Amino acid sequence: MPLLAAASAARTMAKKTPTQLARTLASVVDAPKLHAHYPVVPGSLTAHLQLRSGETFTGGSFGAASATVGETVFTTSLVGYPESMTDPSYRGQLLVFTQPLIGNYGVPRRTRDSYGLLKHFESERIQCSGVVVSDYATKYSHWNAVESLSEWCAREGVPAITGVDTRALVHILRGQGSTLGSLSAGAQPLDAASISWVDPNADNLVAQASTDDIRVFNPAGDVHVALIDCGVKYNIIRSLCDQGARVSLVPWNHDVMANLSAYDGIFISNGPGSPTHCTETISQLRRAFAVYQRPIFGICMGNQLMGLAAGLNAYKLRFGNRGHNQPAVDLTNGKCVITSQNHGYALDDSVMPEGWARYYVNANDGSNEGIRHLEKPFRSVQFHPEAKGGPLDTGYLFAEFVDSVRAAKQAGLAATLSEDCSASAQAATA
């Protein structure tokens, strides 16, 4: 499809409601419940994936010999399993990889960069609750690998299963939506009646993933950016620092209004779960929108929180957008970019609040991919321009943000309207 035609189609989809955007898929609701068994090597430990909806998958266990419950979701990414597994946005989820072969390049060493951040991971530990793959590579080969995926999962207490027909599993999840699942190691599956089906999205996962203390990165940076940590990926911090910013990582519910003038710009990170739990962050942003004049930018959860603060609503996607190949169209110029994404919620942008406009739209399903203010330097994207595992199409957004922060500072732009009015009054009486 020609680019202009794709952009036109994306604009048309952007005007539809979430109900109208529901994807037409082959239904598996009325089909018999699938019970798939994969033969394991004699003497090897067996693992079981049980969906709350009744389907079961039996395969080989690798990783921790334990049991867990989480929301079963899938990613279509072909590479980057160490980055995906340590992404805080996967907190509380059983992560299904549609890429058949996983583990073939092992797990890299915990090397840190000049900012003190792990180079090859997005946080300090595995964030997902469990791992589901079709074919686990028991032997790995990579110059930077120091351990196998199984050893890493076992060390961090994360169960994993191999031998799952992930095509059948994803077909189920696409049909009925992301589903609670239980992953356990043992000769027999758990008694379904005894499983405690706790939905992680019922909790404030952002509060669990966020930092407790303020941390400063690149203290010699020439502009000061407050990074609200909703479950930040390390490469977001790194990307801001690489552009020359001093980054103050603050908790999700930090009172930024108390010291608003200290920040040359505000950035809201990605994070797990439902944005509706973050009422304190939303309130802070709503107040900042009213008075702050310097740039604000959000990514993923940050996009949703900015949207809620602006007056939009959020809704849960049937199975989310997770992978490295999601096309997003920039509605300001019709340019389509390939993006990395990991979210289960989206903004309902069918009716935009006064002063706000759609920024990006997903070319596949028409869901929101960003918003922007029509007058103030506030904007956000649903995708991940910092994607450590690629693609790198939208990395320029970090440069644009920091450049705009730097330009506002050099122009002497006051942080708030009240400061601006005070300065004007002083100048008039001088």
Side-chain angles (χ1 to χ4, degrees):
M1 181 185 294
L3 180 58
L4 291 178
S8 176
R11 290 190 184 95
T12 299
M13 287 191 291
K15 298 177 182 178
K16 296 182 178 180
T17 65
T19 302
Q20 292 172 319
L21 293 173
R23 299 176 226 199
T24 302
L25 302 165
S27 175
V28 296
V29 175
D30 298 327
K33 299 300 181 183
L34 178 64
H35 301 285
H37 296 263
Y38 178 80
V40 299
V41 177
S44 298
L45 190 61
T46 302
H48 310 273
L49 172 65
Q50 301 166 256
L51 299 185
R52 190 177 190 179
S53 50
E55 298 83 0
T56 62
F57 296 82
T58 296
S61 171
F62 69 98
S66 60
T68 187
V69 171
E71 181 185 22
T72 311
V73 302
F74 64 90
T75 175
T76 59
S77 56
L78 301 181
V79 296
Y81 56 83
E83 293 90 344
S84 293
M85 290 170 59
T86 54
D87 178 355
S89 292
Y90 279 117
R91 191 177 185 91
Q93 296 178 332
L94 303 182
L95 181 54
V96 181
F97 288 95
T98 61
Q99 164 69 5
L101 186 64
I102 296 293
N104 53 308
Y105 54 87
V107 177
R109 64 185 74 250
R110 290 174 64 88
T111 307
R112 295 187 183 272
D113 62 16
S114 60
Y115 308 118
L117 302 168
L118 290 171
K119 282 186 176 181
H120 309 295
F121 305 95
E122 291 291 11
S123 67
E124 294 296 318
R125 66 179 184 85
I126 298 176
Q127 298 286 342
C128 58
S129 297
V131 176
V132 181
V133 304
S134 173
D135 186 4
Y136 166 61
T138 57
K139 294 183 178 180
Y140 64 88
S141 178
H142 194 276
W143 66 269
N144 197 35
V146 294
E147 62 182 337
S148 69
L149 178 57
S150 178
E151 291 170 330
W152 184 35
C153 288
R155 180 164 52 81
E156 301 218 3
V158 177
I161 182 172
T162 182
V164 172
D165 184 346
T166 51
R167 293 180 67 182
L169 175 56
V170 168
H171 185 68
I172 292 169
L173 296 178
R174 284 176 62 91
Q176 67 189 23
S178 298
T179 305
L180 292 182
S182 167
L183 179 55
S184 61
Q188 299 296 325
L190 300 178
D191 178 5
S194 67
I195 298 174
S196 178
W197 298 107
V198 178
D199 183 359
N201 293 305
D203 296 330
N204 187 346
L205 298 179
V206 165
Q208 298 176 21
S210 179
T211 183
D212 294 324
D213 306 304
I214 298 176
R215 302 174 60 192
V216 178
F217 298 88
N218 193 34
D222 65 326
V223 289
H224 187 195
V225 173
L227 173 52
I228 300 176
D229 180 11
C230 298
V232 68
K233 294 168 65 176
Y234 278 172
N235 208 36
I236 289 179
I237 303 173
R238 181 181 296 110
S239 297
L240 290 169
C241 292
D242 283 347
Q243 293 298 323
R246 173 191 176 189
V247 177
S248 288
L249 186 70
V250 302
W252 69 280
N253 57 352
H254 180 71
D255 186 2
V256 293
M257 294 298 297
N259 199 22
L260 203 56
S261 60
Y263 307 124
D264 300 313
I266 298 174
F267 201 105
I268 309 98
S269 82
N270 65 292
S274 170
T276 57
H277 294 298
C278 304
T279 54
E280 294 173 73
T281 315
I282 295 167
S283 176
Q284 290 277 331
L285 290 173
R286 184 177 295 120
R287 292 168 60 196
F289 288 165
V291 298
Y292 198 62
Q293 300 189 99
R294 296 170 182 171
I296 300 178
F297 196 92
I299 284 178
C300 195
M301 174 64 75
N303 176 62
Q304 296 166 22
L305 295 180
M306 286 182 65
L308 291 173
L312 293 171
N313 293 317
Y315 65 98
K316 197 174 192 310
L317 296 164
R318 183 192 295 180
F319 49 83
N321 285 327
R322 300 176 178 90
H324 294 171
N325 57 350
Q326 288 289 330
V329 177
D330 183 343
L331 297 179
T332 65
N333 57 23
K335 178 182 178 181
C336 185
V337 290
I338 303 302
T339 67
S340 172
Q341 300 193 16
N342 175 15
H343 59 276
Y345 291 82
L347 291 175
D348 178 0
D349 63 2
S350 54
V351 178
M352 293 299 296
E354 184 178 357
W356 292 84
R358 303 175 185 88
Y359 187 13
Y360 282 86
V361 62
N362 190 296
N364 282 342
D365 62 10
S367 61
N368 177 267
E369 294 287 356
I371 60 174
R372 62 186 179 89
H373 198 277
L374 295 175
E375 297 178 357
K376 295 183 178 182
F378 307 158
R379 55 181 179 153
S380 58
V381 294
Q382 187 60 55
F383 50 84
H384 288 271
E386 84 294 340
K388 184 66 173 176
L392 307 177
D393 290 31
T394 55
Y396 62 86
L397 290 172
F398 283 97
E400 288 184 359
F401 170 71
V402 176
D403 285 347
S404 67
V405 170
R406 191 171 287 120
K409 181 177 181 179
Q410 292 173 351
L413 184 64
T416 65
L417 289 171
S418 59
E419 290 179 7
D420 199 15
C421 292
S422 177
S424 298
Q426 291 178 5
T429 56

